[in-house]
């Protein structure tokens, strides 16, 4: 995809954070945006920002945890713009607690929203993209899906690791058919993801991936995503230095996890 002009991009979680920033970045490059969010008001606010700047956008309430959500989203996009070229699966919710305090129901909530939303999206949009022979998928994972830096968000980390694997398989399958796949793995970014946070059990210190990773503005990431689509980039790290961490783990995984344990549980 060498241009986004007049392409139609669906962005779930598009009402705030990385989704909002990506929607705006794609719109600046000429794409028509479907802003999908569980909060209709925030979706409409992003639409107003885009149209106010001369772009084209439409907002729709979409709860990606519901089975019918993506069928309705596809109908909305086709009715409004007549086509779909880019699908960004960008919803994530968090839970926090020591593993023994996390209820099974909370695991199910995180899996339903974070992981099964991607599965639902694929079931609806892959046939459309394959039939037309072009398009691009962006799946938002996380540093938490690349390496373990804490133990208090296991459901989130597990779903994000699964999204990385799904994205790799999709890339192998879809690229020969003319469809690009990008997996976005953000490090620290200023978003409102903590608004979905539920905590269980005793208070626990929340640890990030490391002090070497600066806190980014969502607008920086939105630009990275737009450029990754145009460049047909598969793995998009928001912080390139994460490669050093992954190389260290691959070189000696036992030593790596021992070092992480010392960092998480200092003497």
């Amino acid at each position: 995809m060498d241009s986004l002009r007049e392409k139609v991009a669906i962005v779930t979680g598009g009402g705030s954070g990385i989704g909002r920033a990506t929607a705006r970045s794609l719109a600046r490059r000429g794409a028509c945006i479907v802003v999908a969010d569980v909060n209709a008001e925030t979706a409409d606010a992003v639409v107003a920002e885009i149209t106010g700047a001369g772009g084209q956008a439409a907002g729709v309430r979409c709860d990606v945890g519901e089975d019918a959500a993506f069928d309705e989203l596809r109908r909305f996009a086709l009715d409004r713009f007549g086509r779909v070229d880019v699908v960004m699966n960008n919803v994530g919710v968090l839970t926090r607690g020591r593993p023994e305090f996390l209820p099974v129901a909370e695991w199910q909530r995180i899996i339903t929203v974070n992981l099964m939303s991607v599965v639902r999206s694929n079931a609806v949009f892959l046939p459309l993209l394959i039939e037309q022979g072009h398009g691009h998928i962006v799946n938002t994972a996380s540093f938490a899906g690349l390496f373990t830096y804490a133990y208090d968000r296991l459901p989130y980390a597990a779903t994000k690791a699964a999204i990385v694997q799904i994205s790799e398989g999709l890339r192998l399958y879809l690229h020969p058919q003319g469809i690009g796949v990008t997996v976005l793995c953000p490090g620290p970014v200023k978003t409102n993801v903590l608004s979905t946070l539920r905590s269980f059990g005793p208070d626990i210190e929340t640890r990030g991936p490391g002090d070497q990773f600066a806190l980014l503005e969502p607008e920086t990431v939105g630009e990275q995503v737009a450029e990754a689509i145009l460049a047909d980039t598969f793995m998009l790290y928001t912080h390139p230095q994460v490669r050093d961490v992954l190389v260290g783990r691959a070189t000696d995984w036992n030593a790596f996890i021992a070092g992480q344990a010392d960092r998480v549980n200092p003497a």
Side-chain angles (χ1 to χ4, degrees), residues 172-200:
L172 297 178
Y173 176 61
L174 295 174
H175 205 253
Q177 302 184 67
I179 300 164
V181 177
T182 295
V183 58
L184 167 63
C185 289
V189 181
K190 293 180 183 178
T191 71
N192 66 348
V193 69
L194 291 179
S195 66
T196 68
L197 180 66
R198 297 180 182 177
S199 295
F200 297 86

Side-chain angles (χ1 to χ4, degrees), residues 13-235:
S16 63
I18 291 173
R20 170 180 174 267
T22 301
R24 289 160 55 93
S25 291
L26 298 179
R28 283 195 293 270
R29 289 163 173 80
C32 305
I33 311 299
V34 175
V35 182
D37 199 278
V38 71
N39 186 325
E41 291 182 358
T42 59
D44 289 342
V46 176
V47 169
E49 293 172 349
I50 292 171
T51 56
Q56 298 187 63
V60 59
R61 184 188 182 279
C62 178
D63 183 348
V64 300
E66 296 178 353
D67 287 340
F70 287 95
D71 288 311
E72 295 169 1
L73 183 55
R74 178 183 59 190
R75 283 194 294 270
F76 180 87
L78 294 177
D79 288 347
R80 187 61 61 95
F81 294 115
R83 57 188 290 171
V84 175
D85 301 285
V86 177
V87 179
M88 184 177 187
N89 299 305
N90 178 62
V91 175
V93 291
L94 271 171
T95 193
R96 178 177 61 190
R98 296 176 186 175
E100 69 270 29
F101 289 98
L102 291 175
V104 171
E106 189 63 5
W107 274 89
Q108 292 171 330
R109 180 180 79 96
I110 301 299
I111 290 170
T112 293
V113 175
N114 292 4
L115 178 56
M116 293 306 297
S117 63
V118 177
V119 174
R120 294 183 185 100
S121 177
N122 288 338
V124 169
F125 287 110
L126 286 190
L128 186 155
L129 298 180
I130 290 170
E131 182 178 2
Q132 67 190 25
H134 65 83
H136 202 99
I137 294 171
V138 181
N139 293 328
T140 301
S142 169
F143 274 15
L146 296 176
F147 70 99
T148 302
Y149 53 83
Y151 53 72
D152 61 316
R153 283 149 285 166
L154 289 186
Y156 178 82
T159 56
K160 293 303 184 178
I163 289 171
V164 173
Q165 289 300 308
I166 289 172
S167 300
E168 287 193 2
L170 288 176
R171 176 75 174 198
L172 297 178
Y173 176 61
L174 295 174
H175 205 253
Q177 302 184 67
I179 300 164
V181 177
T182 295
V183 58
L184 167 63
C185 289
V189 181
K190 293 180 183 178
T191 71
N192 66 348
V193 69
L194 291 179
S195 66
T196 68
L197 180 66
R198 297 180 182 177
S199 295
F200 297 86
D203 288 341
I204 186 170
E205 181 180 358
T206 298
R207 296 182 180 276
D211 293 339
Q212 71 270 40
F213 302 113
L215 184 63
L216 298 182
E217 296 291 339
E219 289 72 21
T220 299
V221 182
E223 285 294 293
Q224 290 176 336
V225 173
E227 291 303 312
I229 293 171
L230 290 170
D232 193 22
T233 300
F234 171 67
M235 174 57 74

